[in-house]
């Protein structure tokens, strides 16, 4: 996997302008009416979060060929996840579980306040629609506290079709677009 020598790779314009617009509206609307899908572990307000959302699972399936091109690997999709981060949210330093062998974190849009992600100690600031492809199980990644109002991010996860984690295809779900 020479394409990810450092453990990560920035992909400019991972999303098209149309995808950015669609996902911005979708995540902001869904965040506004959310009553149940919160993560209280990463902000006091409870960031909106959705695992296996049909919209982002569809994006994961449609971006697989691009991910294969960028990584040089044949990939099996596992799951998607999106989050609307809010004031003082953070992302603790961590490595991912086996279903996140090859991942991409994509900035959908934000209120405009910069909020870099750190990959193995390197600070990376993404523009709307940019992504970072990374080896989620191998490289520590994190974010410091967010000082803005909102930041929409999606994560698309895959495993190497010829690697040790193929049992995580669909993240062991019967179908894409559903939770476990």
């Amino acid at each position: 996997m020479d394409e990810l020598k450092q453990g990560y790779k920035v992909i400019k314009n991972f999303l098209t302008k149309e995808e950015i617009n669609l996902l911005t509206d979708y995540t902001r609307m869904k965040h506004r009416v959310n009553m149940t899908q919160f993560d209280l572990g990463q902000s006091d307000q409870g960031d909106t979060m959705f695992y296996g959302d049909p919209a982002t699972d569809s994006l994961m399936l449609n971006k697989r060929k691009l991910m294969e091109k960028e990584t040089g690997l044949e990939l099996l999709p596992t799951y998607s996840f999106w989050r609307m981060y809010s004031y003082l949210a953070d992302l603790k330093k961590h490595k991912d579980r086996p279903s996140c062998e090859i991942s991409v974190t994509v900035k959908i849009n934000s209120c405009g306040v910069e909020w870099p992600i750190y990959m193995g100690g390197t600070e990376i600031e993404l523009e709307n629609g940019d992504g970072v492809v990374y080896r989620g199980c191998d490289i520590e990644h994190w974010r410091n506290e967010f000082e803005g109002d909102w930041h929409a991010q999606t994560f698309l996860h895959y495993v190497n079709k010829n690697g040790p984690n193929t049992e995580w295809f669909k993240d062991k779900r019967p179908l894409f677009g559903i939770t476990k």
Side-chain angles (χ1 to χ4, degrees), residues 4 9 20 35 63 78 109 120 126 157 164 173 179:
L4 296 177
K9 178 181 182 181
I20 293 168
M35 302 298 269
K63 294 295 184 176
T78 58
N109 205 334
L126 299 172
H157 302 290
R173 300 175 288 169
T179 60

Side-chain angles (χ1 to χ4, degrees), residues 76-161:
L76 295 174
T78 58
Y79 74 97
S80 69
F81 188 86
W82 72 266
R83 182 184 302 270
M84 181 67 74
Y85 292 97
S86 57
Y87 182 67
L88 297 182
D90 66 3
L91 179 63
K92 305 287 186 233
K93 187 183 287 190
H94 70 285
K95 291 182 183 178
D96 295 327
R97 59 191 179 95
S99 59
C100 308
E101 181 181 1
I102 304 295
S103 298
V104 61
T105 182
V106 183
K107 180 181 179 188
I108 297 170
N109 205 334
S110 76
C111 63
V113 173
E114 290 188 358
W115 194 37
I117 188 165
Y118 294 85
M119 292 283 169
T122 301
E123 179 179 308
I124 301 168
E125 184 65 46
L126 299 172
E127 300 296 325
N128 296 346
D130 290 352
V132 178
V133 179
Y134 60 102
R135 294 182 189 140
C137 303
D138 298 336
I139 189 167
E140 284 189 319
H141 46 286
W142 69 93
R143 291 178 187 265
N144 296 326
E145 282 190 347
F146 180 51
E147 296 182 4
D149 183 42
W150 65 275
H151 181 106
Q153 193 82 18
T154 191
F155 311 86
L156 312 177
H157 302 290
Y158 306 84
V159 294
N160 182 346
K161 183 178 179 180

